[in-house]
Amino acid sequence: MLKSVNAIRAPRLAAISLILSLTLLGVAAGLVKPAAAAGDQVKPQEADNVACLACHNQPGFSLPLPSGESLPLTIDAGHFDDSVHKSLACTDCHTNISTFPHPDLKAQSLREVSMQLYTICKNCHLEQYDKTLDSVHQKALAAGNTNAAICTDCHNPHTQTQLTDPTTGKLLPEARVQIPMKCARCHSAIYDQYKASVHGSALIGDGNPDVPTCIDCHGVHNIQDPTTATFRVYSPLLCSKCHTDPAIMDKYGIPTQVLNTYVADFHGTTVTLFEKTSPDQVTNKPVCFDCHGVHNIKRVDDPQYGLAMKENLLAACRKCHPDATANFPDAWMSHYIPSPTRYPIVYYVNLFYKIFIPTVIGGMLIYVLSDIARRLIERRKGVKHA
Amino acid sequence: MSKKGSVPIKQPSQYERFHWAQRVAHALLLISFTTLALTGLPQKYAMTGWAEAMIKSFGGIEITRLFHHVAAGVLMLLTIYHILDIGYKIFVRRSQMSMLPGLQDVKDGIQAFVYNLGLGKRRPQMGRYTFEEKMEYWALVWGIIIMGITGFMMWNPLAAVRLLPGEIIPAAKAAHGGEALLAVLAIIVWHMYGVHLRRFNKSMWTGKLSEEEMLHEHPLELANIKAGIVRRRVDPKTLRKRQTVYYPVAGVLAVAMLLGVYGFVNGEKTAITTVPPISSPVPIYVPQTPTPTSTLLPTPTTGATVLTWDGSIGPLFQAKCGACHGTTVTLAQLSFATYADAIKGGQDGKVILPSDPAGSLLVQKQQAGGHPGQFSAEELGLVSQWIAAGAPEK
């Protein structure tokens, strides 16, 4: 019996609260401060969110758009309460809606709806929004490509959960896994490559937090065009952020000498000099990803693709040196430091000069110093140099 | 030199030491060597601040390498000239090969050192070239050979590893760098001390040495000059005969060596000039299908349309209007939860007048557009047809 009473009473309660809140809204809408941490505003928010959800909680609630698309209007209250925005009032973002019926929607299509709404994010997230203004997506957008990602494409404001640890500011492990899936919504072909790579398979398969997720290399919000000269010459430093860190690499037995051995070589020296002296100019000298792959990076001992297999390395060389022969890959010391067992000729040439130069120059210096001394002695004595 | 300037002396007070061609060659050598050192050492020590600053001042690493290559070309041409010149002196002029090192030079060196230590009474008496000069000359020869070979390997790595192991390329680079450092240090310690610091020897520019200098540095040569032993003139007839043999041989040799230099510089196209292609390129923008939406997907429309409340019309009202005019919420006291509710109407009275779609408030509101639960034109057509048909329940 109790249940049925409740069932009858529920709509009335909702209706009452709705009417109450609608009248409140007209007064409150202009006063509500948009703020991320808004604990003091819980009560009015609860009231008007309930009012909004009274309609917007209905499954399948949608509005047809002139484009023929249908704008879904259902907000899943459960998801919303799990989101980072749970303490916000609907009207904090939907500032133009304070009455019912709502003002006319001017958007012609779903994309236009997003386009009209996403700049609201900057009211609270100005730092991130300003960063996006410097991003490749913003450049594409400015060039007229409305497919370019905007805030809400990656962060659904109604369901976005916490991505970073509030105390450390570091990405949460689950966020690292979610990020590639977000990017995949537009870059699915790249995602497929990444998923099969040594990095992607470890992240998506095992949730390994040591491997890079998209934003570790591409950045977040101010994502740069990765096809520029600047990105190219800077990229070795991106890879080396992790690959020179013994704390990460030692776990997998990966040497951390990869950057200095690269920089010591002709290719790496050139790229590093470009990076330092003229980062905006193109160099065709290879960077890490030219040999190891971009998103499809494989283990070096991968039997099919790994560069430790000489034929794979030769194929990589031939991308730039089409006439390379079987001996050629050894001209690159594969990130090894020459030793009596690895690249011994180089090791012994270096050793030779390490001994030869001091010997020759030392011998010369001894003679020169003896000559100086003799001349000084003779000058003091007033003797003619014999 | 006699202090009595009035006494006429037949012997010249200045002795020619270097012919103008030798002085020009030396000047070119100086320029090319300095350029090679200035553009080469920053490449060897590329990761240091000073090297970076130098490379930047040259206009970047590619320009630096271009300067290095041009200077290397000049040095190669200079080497060819020197070989032909030596050939001329040996085969045509039959000059004494005064630059050849011998046991005497070792003895001279030891004697000079012993003297400097204060253990000997006299400095060695030396001829046209002192052991110091010979050491420098042969160090240069050695250096040019090593730098030439290793330079060739780095300039033409594909050709070099056709026969040799690939490892020879980094080894060549190591040797090139080591040898360069040795050469520059030797120039600073040996050459600069010997001819700049100890006593500024201008003969490489003026071409001449004074008698006093000759007596001090090259007493044996001076004695030979005075005795008329050196600088013997070849009689013109013999000279011409030898020249007719030497010139064609030298010409062929010159062409061969020049071709060698051309091959050295232009022999192979080591690498492509464009940025390497991405190994397995994929298109950048490939949205997932179906494109995920920011909120839940709309309810799919039903297939067949039956123009009764229980058929298509009821579910259509549920989907489009139910959120605000349903069981939980009944805005304007209007509900479409059941057929009876729909026909009953709301606070503004009936919204559906069976058989009169134009007169029905619902149709009027929907035709005006902009209602939150807006029917599409097609849906509104169906609803109007249904009302026109008397708004049947079943």
Side-chain angles (χ1 to χ4, degrees):
Chain A
M1 282 306 283
L2 197 67
K3 201 181 166 194
S4 64
V5 169
N6 278 343
I8 297 161
R9 205 174 274 168
R12 288 205 189 130
L13 276 174
I16 291 163
S17 68
L18 178 75
I19 291 156
L20 267 176
S21 58
L22 282 176
T23 47
L24 263 175
L25 254 181
V27 186
L31 304 173
V32 173
K33 270 192 299 177
D40 54 330
Q41 295 174 358
V42 166
K43 272 185 182 165
Q45 283 152 14
E46 268 180 354
D48 60 85
N49 284 0
V50 167
C52 300
L53 286 172
C55 295
H56 287 279
N57 203 12
Q58 299 295 313
F61 185 20
S62 66
L63 182 68
L65 296 171
S67 65
E69 295 162 306
S70 180
L71 174 66
L73 294 172
T74 305
I75 299 299
D76 187 311
H79 278 132
F80 184 73
D81 285 343
D82 290 338
S83 80
V84 286
H85 292 141
K86 63 183 172 198
S87 60
L88 290 189
C90 303
T91 50
D92 286 346
C93 298
H94 298 281
T95 47
N96 63 328
I97 300 177
S98 56
T99 53
F100 186 85
H102 302 328
D104 287 347
L105 193 64
K106 295 192 182 65
Q108 300 291 306
S109 65
L110 277 177
R111 195 59 185 159
E112 276 187 38
V113 174
S114 303
M115 287 292 172
Q116 286 171 7
L117 289 172
Y118 84 94
T119 49
I120 291 166
C121 303
K122 75 178 170 191
N123 291 346
C124 296
H125 304 285
L126 186 62
E127 189 193 332
Q128 287 81 357
Y129 179 81
D130 281 350
K131 276 177 139 187
T132 65
L133 298 182
D134 184 34
S135 74
V136 65
H137 292 136
Q138 175 63 31
K139 285 191 184 95
L141 193 63
N145 183 351
T146 52
N147 285 327
I150 53 175
C151 311
T152 52
D153 291 324
C154 304
H155 305 284
N156 182 334
H158 301 126
T159 59
Q160 181 64 62
T161 52
Q162 182 74 32
L163 290 170
T164 52
D165 186 315
T167 50
T168 63
K170 283 194 172 152
L171 274 180
L172 294 167
E174 60 268 30
R176 301 185 68 81
V177 183
Q178 285 161 6
I179 286 164
M181 295 170 190
K182 284 274 188 280
C183 302
R185 291 169 52 179
C186 289
H187 305 295
S188 66
I190 290 171
Y191 175 73
D192 289 341
Q193 285 195 331
Y194 171 76
K195 204 167 52 176
S197 76
V198 62
H199 295 142
S201 61
L203 180 66
I204 291 159
D206 315 330
N208 186 330
D210 289 336
V211 294
T213 186
C214 308
I215 67 166
D216 289 318
C217 301
H218 291 282
V220 62
H221 301 127
N222 59 345
I223 297 160
Q224 296 301 298
D225 180 353
T227 62
T228 61
T230 310
F231 188 92
R232 180 175 172 75
V233 295
Y234 181 71
S235 63
L237 298 177
L238 278 182
C239 304
S240 62
K241 262 197 309 191
C242 294
H243 279 275
T244 58
D245 184 355
I248 301 173
M249 292 303 134
D250 287 355
K251 289 188 220 170
Y252 309 97
I254 301 172
T256 50
Q257 305 282 16
V258 287
L259 182 67
N260 59 6
T261 49
Y262 167 72
V263 167
D265 178 73
F266 172 76
H267 294 147
T269 305
T270 312
V271 170
T272 308
L273 284 169
F274 265 82
E275 193 262 317
K276 286 182 172 170
T277 62
S278 53
D280 52 338
Q281 281 174 39
V282 184
T283 175
N284 68 343
K285 306 301 176 288
V287 294
C288 311
F289 61 66
D290 287 314
C291 302
H292 291 280
V294 184
H295 298 107
N296 55 345
I297 302 166
K298 293 286 195 288
R299 296 173 60 97
V300 288
D301 56 3
D302 184 284
Q304 200 183 342
Y305 303 103
L307 291 175
M309 315 297 134
K310 211 172 169 193
E311 61 273 28
N312 293 338
L313 185 57
L314 180 58
C317 295
R318 280 185 174 153
K319 280 165 64 184
C320 293
H321 305 282
D323 301 329
T325 50
N327 283 355
F328 190 70
D330 271 337
W332 155 247
M333 293 190 283
S334 295
H335 294 293
Y336 285 108
I337 292 169
S339 68
T341 47
R342 292 260 185 203
Y343 300 93
I345 306 177
V346 184
Y347 175 81
Y348 287 113
V349 165
N350 279 327
L351 185 66
F352 170 74
Y353 279 101
K354 223 171 256 176
I355 298 164
F356 190 56
I357 294 174
T359 307
V360 171
I361 301 300
M364 286 177 169
L365 272 175
I366 289 170
Y367 178 78
V368 164
L369 290 174
S370 77
D371 203 71
I372 293 170
R374 172 59 35 202
R375 276 159 201 272
L376 289 176
I377 290 165
E378 287 176 352
R379 187 180 293 175
R380 192 179 295 170
K381 286 183 184 168
V383 185
K384 195 174 180 286
H385 195 60
Chain B
M1 287 258 297
S2 169
K3 279 179 183 174
K4 294 173 185 174
S6 56
V7 178
I9 298 163
K10 275 198 173 179
Q11 293 292 342
S13 59
Q14 296 278 314
Y15 293 85
E16 191 194 35
R17 180 147 179 83
F18 297 114
H19 189 255
W20 68 265
Q22 289 174 303
R23 285 178 268 152
V24 170
H26 173 265
L28 287 172
L29 175 65
L30 184 147
I31 292 168
S32 66
F33 182 92
T34 309
T35 308
L36 285 164
L38 287 177
T39 55
L41 286 178
Q43 294 190 60
K44 177 170 166 65
Y45 298 103
M47 291 307 115
T48 61
W50 61 265
E52 196 191 307
M54 280 176 76
I55 289 167
K56 197 168 185 174
S57 74
F58 296 142
I61 181 63
E62 298 291 1
I63 305 277
T64 305
R65 289 201 178 114
L66 181 67
F67 284 150
H68 196 76
H69 286 172
V70 170
V74 170
L75 188 53
M76 283 189 266
L77 295 178
L78 215 52
T79 306
I80 292 175
Y81 162 76
H82 187 67
I83 291 168
L84 296 174
D85 185 41
I86 296 289
Y88 185 83
K89 280 174 181 152
I90 293 173
F91 299 109
V92 181
R93 292 266 303 278
R94 306 276 162 96
S95 305
Q96 204 188 351
M97 288 188 264
S98 49
M99 193 53 102
L100 278 184
L103 192 60
Q104 186 56 45
D105 295 303
V106 179
K107 288 180 184 167
D108 287 347
I110 293 168
Q111 193 183 337
F113 187 57
V114 167
Y115 172 78
N116 283 346
L117 293 179
L119 303 171
K121 281 187 178 161
R122 282 194 68 79
R123 289 174 63 246
Q125 302 289 298
M126 291 176 281
R128 171 148 178 85
Y129 292 114
T130 66
F131 78 92
E132 289 140 314
E133 289 164 325
K134 288 184 187 180
M135 205 166 111
E136 182 153 349
Y137 175 83
W138 289 105
L140 184 69
V141 170
W142 154 269
I144 283 180
I145 291 169
I146 297 284
M147 296 309 257
I149 292 171
T150 55
F152 174 85
M153 287 173 171
M154 286 190 284
W155 206 322
N156 304 278
L158 293 174
V161 302
R162 226 155 262 153
L163 294 173
L164 296 165
E167 193 190 342
I168 208 73
I169 305 301
K173 190 183 159 202
H176 203 82
E179 195 60 37
L181 183 61
L182 180 62
V184 169
L185 289 177
I187 286 290
I188 292 170
V189 174
W190 200 248
H191 182 82
M192 289 195 171
Y193 176 72
V195 298
H196 300 173
L197 279 179
R198 185 162 70 183
R199 189 176 54 76
F200 199 82
N201 187 333
K202 292 188 282 289
S203 63
M204 200 37 108
W205 305 99
T206 63
K208 299 206 181 340
L209 276 183
S210 68
E211 177 149 354
E212 191 187 356
E213 287 170 320
M214 285 295 284
L215 191 63
H216 189 254
E217 305 275 329
H218 311 284
L220 299 184
E221 187 193 12
L222 184 64
N224 284 345
I225 293 170
K226 290 197 168 177
I229 294 171
V230 288
R231 313 255 168 102
R232 273 173 311 182
R233 290 208 166 273
V234 186
D235 70 281
K237 221 175 174 179
T238 323
L239 190 69
R240 218 164 300 128
K241 219 171 91 186
R242 289 179 192 163
Q243 279 173 343
T244 50
V245 179
Y246 183 70
Y247 282 159
V249 173
V252 171
L253 209 64
V255 169
M257 287 191 290
L258 286 171
L259 281 175
V261 170
Y262 181 80
F264 191 122
V265 174
N266 269 314
E268 78 173 37
K269 204 161 170 49
T270 306
I272 58 170
T273 52
T274 52
V275 170
I278 288 173
S279 52
S280 56
V282 289
I284 290 162
Y285 179 67
V286 186
Q288 282 173 341
T289 47
T291 312
T293 51
S294 54
T295 48
L296 299 171
L297 284 168
T299 323
T301 48
T302 47
T305 44
V306 182
L307 288 180
T308 60
W309 181 265
D310 288 353
S312 302
I313 301 301
L316 178 63
F317 272 93
Q318 234 92 102
K320 286 287 177 153
C321 316
C324 301
H325 306 290
T327 41
T328 350
V329 186
T330 47
L331 286 182
Q333 296 162 32
L334 176 64
S335 171
F336 295 105
T338 63
Y339 179 72
D341 287 340
I343 294 299
K344 193 181 81 189
Q347 63 184 22
D348 298 331
K350 282 181 181 290
V351 294
I352 295 164
L353 304 176
S355 310
D356 182 11
S360 297
L361 188 58
L362 180 135
V363 178
Q364 289 165 3
K365 277 256 183 192
Q366 284 286 328
Q367 268 169 348
H371 195 78
Q374 179 68 47
F375 288 133
S376 68
E378 198 185 330
E379 288 163 345
L380 187 56
L382 293 174
V383 172
S384 298
Q385 278 180 44
W386 169 70
I387 297 172
E393 185 179 4
K394 289 171 199 273

